């Protein structure tokens, strides 16, 4: 039995989104290497398709978090000013960078993500200094299932958080990823949000950021809609299955396995980058 | 209405929009493939797939538009301005990027 290119795209996006969903991440960090290494697509096409996949994952999983009152929509909107601006800067930069640079950058982000996945996430809550009235409007509460109480939290160091989000937006559009590599430290260490709130808010935000990048790629003609359609089907299905698996399986058991996969893919991407560089020098 | 009630209204409106949008877009793509494979009307099938992809890509932007309209109704001017800036950045930036990448 042979697998058609269409079926292959559905399977790859399903697997990448499923793994992402299981780990509470977007699909991009797994999908881009799959599309370049297994489907032999050019990295720019893979990045554009991955951005569409990230949008699908965010749209499919965000309603559950919104209904559970875990997403801070106001904060997401304010941070989106920085991430969408970063995303558009990233799309413009992607046209200026050589393919080998994109491969190298992707491999580096994968290695950092693998390291980040092995670190325990902690949030240090400190007494707040006097804050602007606008920032106070971003504070929120979320229902804690374990205690059954509403937990209040305050948003701090918004300018630092926004600066990091601008960087996250650039990485997202440049590499077709949700860029948790920068969003997680921004949410945990700069804004000091509770982990559940930061995961839900980040999940909602990556949809808007990736959408800004995907629209730009679509308008510029980088993305073939015939390839985008199977990616959408696989991503929606994969993220829903992954989210269900997240509830059933303890993610820490899977973490080490996926860290090893990420490192293997990072090595493969580095080799591809070296190959591109060599052929560029030879040519 | 209190700020908490207003925030809940926004949360639920976006949740409904994303749920409805994701399912209708996915159904459109699946139906498009079904038509392409089983009926001699490739144009209709491709159009449905295209519609589904565009709907999905535009859904987050639609959620920001929904926020803009709800904050306008709630007369929450600071967040009306923030929603508008996000939409403006996406719109202008997409045009600039499209020109640059070409």
């Amino acid at each position: 039995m042979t697998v058609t290119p269409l079926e292959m795209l559905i399977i790859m996006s399903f697997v990448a989104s499923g793994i992402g969903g299981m780990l509470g991440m977007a699909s991009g960090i797994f999908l881009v290497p799959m599309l370049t290494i297994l489907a032999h697509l050019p990295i720019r096409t893979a990045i554009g398709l991955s951005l569409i996949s990230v949008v699908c994952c965010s749209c499919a999983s965000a309603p559950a978090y919104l209904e559970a009152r875990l997403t801070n929509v106001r904060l997401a909107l304010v941070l989106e000013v920085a991430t969408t601006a970063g995303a558009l800067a990233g799309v413009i930069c992607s046209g200026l960078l050589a393919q080998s640079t994109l491969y190298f950058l992707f491999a580096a982000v994968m290695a950092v993500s693998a390291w980040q996945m092995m670190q325990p996430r902690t949030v240090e809550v400190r007494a707040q200094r006097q804050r602007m009235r606008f920032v106070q409007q971003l504070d929120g509460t979320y229902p804690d299932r374990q205690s059954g109480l509403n937990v209040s939290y305050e948003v701090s160091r918004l300018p630092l958080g926004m600066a990091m989000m601008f960087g996250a937006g650039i990485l997202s559009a440049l590499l077709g990823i949700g860029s948790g590599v920068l969003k997680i430290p921004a949410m945990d260490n700069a804004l000091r949000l509770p982990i559940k709130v930061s995961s839900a808010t980040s999940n909602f935000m990556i949809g808007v950021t990736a959408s800004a990048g995907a629209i730009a790629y679509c308008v510029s003609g980088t993305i073939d809609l015939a390839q985008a359609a199977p990616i959408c089907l696989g991503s929606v299905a994969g993220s829903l299955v992954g989210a269900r698996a997240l509830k059933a399986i303890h993610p820490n058991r899977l973490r080490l396995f996926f860290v090893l996969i990420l490192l293997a893919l990072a090595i493969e991407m580095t080799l591809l980058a070296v190959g591109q560089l060599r052929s560029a020098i030879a040519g | 209405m209190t700020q908490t009630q207003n925030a809940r209204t926004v949360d639920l409106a976006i949740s409904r929009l994303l749920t409805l949008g994701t399912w209708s877009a996915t159904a459109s793509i699946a139906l498009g493939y079904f038509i392409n494979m089983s009926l001699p009307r490739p144009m209709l099938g491709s159009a449905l797939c295209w519609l589904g992809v565009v709907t999905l890509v535009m859904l987050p932007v639609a959620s920001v538009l929904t926020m803009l309209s709800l904050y306008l109704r709630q007369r929450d001017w600071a967040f009306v301005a923030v929603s508008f800036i996000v939409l403006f950045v996406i719109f202008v930036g997409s045009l600039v990027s499209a020109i640059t990448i070409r």
Side-chain angles (χ1 to χ4, degrees):
Chain A
M1 197 182 102
T2 52
V3 180
T4 64
L6 187 141
E7 289 164 350
M8 201 167 161
L9 289 176
I10 293 179
I11 293 167
M12 278 193 237
S13 53
F14 177 83
V15 171
S17 309
I19 296 172
M22 271 188 240
L23 299 170
M25 297 165 66
S27 55
I29 199 123
F30 296 103
L31 187 58
V32 173
M34 282 184 185
L35 292 175
T36 48
I37 296 166
L38 302 176
H40 305 292
L41 291 180
I43 192 162
R44 281 203 181 86
T45 309
I47 288 168
L49 291 173
S50 174
L51 281 172
I52 291 184
S53 172
V54 172
V55 173
C56 294
C57 292
S58 168
C59 290
S61 53
Y65 293 122
L66 283 160
E67 276 164 33
R69 288 197 291 145
L70 291 173
T71 310
N72 185 332
V73 171
R74 282 171 175 250
L75 177 64
L77 193 61
V78 171
L79 295 174
E80 274 309 329
V81 174
T83 52
T84 48
L88 297 162
V91 172
I92 294 167
C93 289
S94 76
L96 307 172
L97 294 178
Q99 289 218 17
S100 56
T101 314
L102 290 175
Y103 281 118
F104 270 128
L105 197 56
F106 204 98
V109 169
M110 287 173 95
V112 177
S113 296
W115 174 80
Q116 209 174 45
M117 275 170 72
M118 294 308 289
Q119 305 301 311
R121 283 178 70 182
T122 51
V123 178
E124 192 186 343
V125 180
R126 286 185 194 166
Q128 302 286 307
R129 277 185 272 166
Q130 200 163 14
R131 297 170 307 145
M132 281 168 61
R133 195 171 161 266
F134 178 74
V135 180
Q136 288 173 16
Q137 286 184 51
L138 303 175
D139 297 344
T141 54
Y142 74 96
D144 184 34
R145 278 193 185 175
Q146 283 178 329
S147 64
L149 298 170
N150 280 338
V151 180
S152 298
Y153 59 90
E154 293 183 351
V155 173
S156 58
R157 303 198 291 184
L158 187 63
L160 176 63
M162 288 195 74
M164 291 173 89
M165 288 295 172
F166 181 78
I170 293 180
L171 272 190
S172 173
L174 207 54
L175 304 176
I177 57 175
S179 63
V181 71
L182 267 178
K183 276 186 179 146
I184 290 171
M187 294 271 192
D188 292 358
N189 303 328
L191 300 166
R192 296 198 175 115
L193 296 178
I195 287 167
K196 282 183 182 177
V197 175
S198 71
S199 299
T201 306
S202 169
N203 179 280
F204 177 69
M205 284 177 62
I206 57 173
V208 183
T209 315
S211 175
I215 291 168
Y217 276 106
C218 284
V219 174
S220 68
T222 311
I223 298 174
D224 179 4
L225 286 172
Q227 290 173 325
I231 292 282
C232 289
L233 281 185
S235 301
V236 170
S239 66
L240 293 174
V241 171
R244 289 211 168 179
L246 178 64
K247 288 178 189 165
I249 311 164
H250 199 279
N252 284 347
R253 288 181 196 157
L254 294 170
R255 223 160 264 266
L256 182 65
F257 175 64
F258 291 126
V259 162
L260 293 174
I261 292 179
L262 267 183
L263 289 174
L265 289 172
I267 292 167
E268 187 68 33
M269 291 291 266
T270 311
L271 292 175
L272 276 175
V274 172
Q276 290 265 336
L277 209 59
R278 272 191 189 160
S279 55
I281 292 166
Chain B
M1 263 208 275
T2 64
Q3 190 180 319
T4 314
Q5 285 170 321
N6 282 341
R8 193 72 192 134
T9 308
V10 176
D11 285 358
L12 293 176
I14 299 167
S15 171
R16 277 185 215 121
L17 173 80
L18 292 178
T19 307
L20 188 71
T22 305
W23 286 113
S24 55
T26 310
S28 174
I29 296 171
L31 185 65
Y33 275 128
F34 176 76
I35 290 173
N36 272 353
M37 283 188 284
S38 54
L39 301 172
R41 288 183 177 181
M43 283 293 283
L44 178 64
S46 302
L48 282 170
C49 286
W50 183 86
L51 182 70
V53 173
V54 171
T55 306
L56 272 168
V57 171
M58 293 302 289
L59 258 184
V61 180
S63 70
V64 181
L65 266 171
T66 307
M67 283 184 229
L68 176 68
S69 71
L70 289 172
Y71 289 134
L72 261 173
R73 206 181 291 172
Q74 294 168 5
R75 295 173 192 278
D76 192 340
W77 304 118
F79 286 90
V80 167
V82 177
S83 317
F84 186 78
I85 292 169
V86 172
L87 288 170
F88 182 77
V89 172
I90 293 174
F91 177 71
V92 174
S94 300
L95 285 182
V96 173
S97 314
I99 295 162
T100 315
I101 293 174
R102 270 175 215 276

